[in-house]
């Protein structure tokens, strides 16, 4: 299957957006080559601002640009964008619902060799906790392009989570993206995997493995963490009786947390959360890290199998 | 300089100081000290310097003012009300539930507030963003910012200072309300920020040092700043915390404490 990194798709989508909308401006914090905002910078140098290694100032400047009618996209690694600049995002952007887009790359452990200091596994939790913030986690290149275009249409702050490695292209060009509306990628009655970002492809693979054993798994692509498609979550709970969430993020506060919150309130069923188990990452090849932390199709299938067995005993 | 104009502005500043006392007194909390120290600067901006239209607060070509030291909200609210952005009677709702006059300025709630501030250190970056937008749009508006001297202990201020100079934002004029006091005591003792003028100069800014309570010096400094090309401008305003109320002047205790009813009366008598 063809693989494209979501950050590469982001770089392309920005150029396209820049052509269509003169109000789109882009800021980066000395990582333009890595986040791919360099593409926009090449095409529209007068609308690109490198802010140097100063993420707080980048977000604050974007707030001012937005207050004056611009649509700023800010990019750097997810750890710095959401961690270093968190309180600026809260007070200068989200508090006033300013039209700032934060498109952060190198999220999760697939950053790889750079190690735990650079692997953001808490950014979804941070961004999801902010009022007025929309949180998008695209699964592939097609979804990334759609998310970037949707973000530009949304009046208010949007966080887009992007990754470093190439990931399979799951959608055709006719894919319709609606923020806040989950996509059922395949049907099944025995369990549901709700996945986000790069884990959607992994979830589909896991569902394929389980099908061979006669376990039917529904795969829900939750590309929008906030606002969460509670309807899709409740339907999964009601119709399949058990949910396994999958994310390249801490099991605390991200997709798993959001799904568990919705399920608890509306239709309690067991929810098993697959993700980083309250630990930091480390150096290694992305594939090795995914294996070590249980973010592979085989691991995910094992968790689903276990969940389905337990469900039968209830 | 036009003596009549100076007299008019001085009288307006006194009126704004009276509002600050009444507002914080009625609220029972708030920050009178740093509001009083910056009252002359804010008065000069809103009643002489800035191109604004209270009837059209979102006018694209308006000059902007960002109160980076957001706890001085009372001085901003008093100036906006006196200038006609909203009713003067609303001032007494400061910090009450449901009032658009939040404890720290909220741009979504109150017309005329250009940026929500309060968490220190963030305003200059926002002002820079507005200034960059002006350049992109080919508009000639200017952006004014007021920083506190304690506030510049925040590292983000210096990130923004660097960026303003790097991008040659000569449409940004900042004031430093150099009153020398912060909550825990004298700035010099808590965490020295000196030498401030040299620091800003080293960061690539045009710097002037003035008496922040002399209307004449404030206006002259703004005039000079506007003529600067290729550099942002910092006007270090030497001020007195609590200025205008004898028992508040240079008293750190009045940073974030509201006057009681009898103190309100005494203060208003001094500001009559």
């Amino acid at each position: 299957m063809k693989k494209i990194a979501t950050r590469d798709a982001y770089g392309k989508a920005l150029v396209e957006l820049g052509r269509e909308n003169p109000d789109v401006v882009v800021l980066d914090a000395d990582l333009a080559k890595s986040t791919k905002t360099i593409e926009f910078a090449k095409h529209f140098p007068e609308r690109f601002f490198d802010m140097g290694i100063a993420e707080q100032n980048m977000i604050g400047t974007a707030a001012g640009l937005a207050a004056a009618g611009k649509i700023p996209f800010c990019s750097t690694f997810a750890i710095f964008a959401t961690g270093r600049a968190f309180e600026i995002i809260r007070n200068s952007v989200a508090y006033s619902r300013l039209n700032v887009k934060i498109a952060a790359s190198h999220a999760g452990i697939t950053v790889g060799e750079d190690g735990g200091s650079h692997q953001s596994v808490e950014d979804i939790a941070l961004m999801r906790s902010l009022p007025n913030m929309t949180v998008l986690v695209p699964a592939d290149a097609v979804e990334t392009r759609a998310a970037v275009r949707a973000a530009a249409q949304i009046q208010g702050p949007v966080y887009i989570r992007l990754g470093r490695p190439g990931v399979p292209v799951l959608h055709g060009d006719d894919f319709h993206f609606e923020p806040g509306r989950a996509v059922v990628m395949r049907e099944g009655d025995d369990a549901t995997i709700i996945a986000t970002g790069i884990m959607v492809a992994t979830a589909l693979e896991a569902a394929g493995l389980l099908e061979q054993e006669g376990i039917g798994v529904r795969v829900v692509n939750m590309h929008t963490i906030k606002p969460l498609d509670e309807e899709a979550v409740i339907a999964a709970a009601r119709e399949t009786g058990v949910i396994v969430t999958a994310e390249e993020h801490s099991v605390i506060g991200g997709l798993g947390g959001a799904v568990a919150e919705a399920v608890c309130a509306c239709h309690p069923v067991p929810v098993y959360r697959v993700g980083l188990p309250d630990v930091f990452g480390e150096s290694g090849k992305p594939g090795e890290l995914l294996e070590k932390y249980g973010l592979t199709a085989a691991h995910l299938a094992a968790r689903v199998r276990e969940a389905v067995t337990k469900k039968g005993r209830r | 300089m036009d003596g009549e104009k100076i007299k008019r502005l001085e009288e307006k500043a006194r009126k704004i100081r009276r509002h600050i006392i009444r507002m914080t007194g009625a609220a029972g909390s708030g920050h009178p000290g740093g509001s009083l120290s910056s009252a002359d600067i804010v008065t000069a901006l809103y009643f002489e310097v800035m191109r604004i239209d209270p009837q059209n607060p979102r006018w694209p070509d308006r000059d902007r003012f960002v109160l980076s030291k957001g706890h001085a909200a009372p001085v901003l609210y008093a100036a906006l009300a006196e200038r006609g952005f909203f009713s003067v009677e609303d001032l007494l709702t400061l910090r009450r539930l449901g009032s658009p006059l939040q404890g720290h300025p909220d741009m979504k709630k109150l017309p005329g507030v250009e940026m929500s501030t309060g968490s220190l250190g963030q305003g200059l970056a926002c002002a820079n963003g507005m200034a960059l937008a002006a350049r992109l749009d080919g508009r000639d508006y200017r952006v004014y910012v007021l920083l506190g001297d304690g506030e510049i202990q925040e590292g983000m201020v210096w990130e923004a200072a660097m960026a303003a100079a790097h991008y040659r934002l000569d449409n940004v004029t900042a004031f430093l309300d150099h009153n020398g006091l912060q909550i825990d005591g004298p700035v010099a003792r808590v965490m020295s920020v000196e030498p401030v003028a040299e620091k800003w100069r080293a960061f690539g800014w045009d710097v002037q040092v003035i008496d922040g309570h002399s209307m004449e010096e404030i206006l002259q400094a703004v005039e000079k700043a506007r003529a600067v090309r290729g550099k942002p401008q910092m006007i270090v305003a030497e001020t007195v915390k609590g200025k205008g109320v004898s028992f508040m002047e240079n008293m750190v205790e009045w940073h974030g404490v509201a006057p009681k009813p009898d103190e309100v009366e005494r203060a208003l008598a001094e500001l009559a």
Side-chain angles (χ1 to χ4, degrees), chain A residues 23 25 27 46-51 53-65 67-70 84 87-89 91-93 95-98, chain B residues 58 62 64 102 104-109 114-116 119-120 122 124-130 132-134 136-137 141 155-156 159-161 163 166-167:
Chain A
D23 283 332
V25 299
L27 299 87
E46 71 292 347
R47 281 192 270 154
F48 174 79
F49 304 103
D50 202 322
M51 303 310 290
I53 309 165
E55 296 78 12
Q56 304 174 47
N57 184 52
M58 172 173 71
I59 300 294
T61 306
L65 281 157
K70 298 295 164 196
R84 186 60 159 264
E87 199 254 346
I88 326 301
I89 298 174
N91 274 321
S92 284
V93 176
Y95 186 68
S96 299
R97 206 182 193 137
L98 285 171
Chain B
R58 309 300 299 166
R62 72 195 182 279
R64 273 82 166 161
Q102 294 287 296
H104 294 83
D106 185 333
M107 66 186 289
K108 282 285 181 251
K109 292 197 159 80
E114 295 289 353
M115 184 54 65
S116 302
S119 173
L120 293 174
Q122 301 188 22
L124 182 55
C126 300
N128 289 346
M130 296 173 186
L132 282 172
L136 287 170
D137 291 340
Y141 64 77
M156 185 181 164
E159 294 182 4
H166 179 81
Y167 282 106

Side-chain angles (χ1 to χ4, degrees), chain B residues 4-261:
Chain B
E4 280 302 307
K5 185 204 284 179
I6 297 291
K7 251 178 92 180
R8 173 180 67 82
L9 289 169
E10 284 171 350
E11 176 45 42
K12 190 59 88 176
R14 234 181 340 267
K15 197 164 184 187
I16 280 172
R17 286 192 163 91
R18 292 199 292 272
H19 283 312
I20 292 167
I21 295 300
R22 281 200 202 95
M23 291 165 79
T24 51
S29 68
H31 297 82
S35 298
L36 292 168
S37 66
S38 53
D40 300 300
I41 297 163
V42 174
T43 302
L45 289 175
Y46 274 92
F47 294 89
E48 180 62 27
V49 174
M50 288 202 299
R51 181 173 74 194
I52 45 174
D53 177 6
Q55 302 310 310
N56 188 6
R58 309 300 299 166
W59 178 31
D61 287 314
R62 72 195 182 279
D63 288 340
R64 273 82 166 161
F65 174 69
V66 176
L67 182 68
S68 194
K69 47 172 287 183
H71 56 281
V75 69
L76 173 62
Y77 297 160
L80 289 173
E82 275 292 319
R83 194 68 173 76
F85 282 86
F86 53 87
S87 152
V88 168
E89 278 87 73
D90 291 344
L91 290 176
L92 294 180
T93 68
L94 174 69
R95 291 178 163 245
R96 294 235 183 98
L97 185 65
S99 169
L101 282 71
Q102 294 287 296
H104 294 83
D106 185 333
M107 66 186 289
K108 282 285 181 251
K109 292 197 159 80
L110 196 62
V113 173
E114 295 289 353
M115 184 54 65
S116 302
T117 52
S119 173
L120 293 174
Q122 301 188 22
L124 182 55
C126 300
N128 289 346
M130 296 173 186
L132 282 172
R135 181 182 294 174
L136 287 170
D137 291 340
R139 296 186 191 276
D140 68 348
Y141 64 77
R142 301 189 61 80
V143 189
Y144 296 91
V145 195
L146 180 64
L147 294 149
D149 52 1
E151 177 183 15
I152 65 171
Q153 290 161 350
E154 288 280 5
M156 185 181 164
V157 170
W158 301 101
E159 294 182 4
M162 210 183 305
H166 179 81
Y167 282 106
R168 304 175 186 283
L169 298 179
D170 53 18
N171 48 353
V172 170
T173 304
F175 286 88
L176 184 71
D177 184 9
H178 198 215
N179 62 36
L181 293 173
Q182 62 186 115
I183 301 180
D184 276 354
V187 175
R189 203 181 308 147
V190 175
M191 180 55 64
S192 174
V193 297
E194 301 303 331
V196 286
E198 285 86 338
K199 279 197 174 84
W200 288 91
R201 222 168 261 134
F203 271 75
W205 288 56
D206 178 84
V207 179
Q208 302 178 62
V209 181
I210 63 162
D211 173 356
H213 299 305
S214 159
M215 205 51 85
E216 201 165 344
E217 286 192 31
I218 295 168
L219 294 180
Q220 277 168 356
V222 169
E223 204 60 37
K224 273 194 210 158
R226 277 170 149 168
V228 173
R229 293 288 169 267
K231 277 182 178 189
Q233 313 92 42
M234 165 55 76
I235 300 172
V236 177
E238 301 296 348
T239 57
V240 173
K241 198 149 187 162
K243 176 73 178 178
V245 179
S246 60
F247 58 91
M248 290 185 175
E249 287 189 0
N250 274 321
M251 300 289 285
V252 74
E253 292 74 15
W254 288 101
H255 172 91
V257 174
K260 295 185 180 62

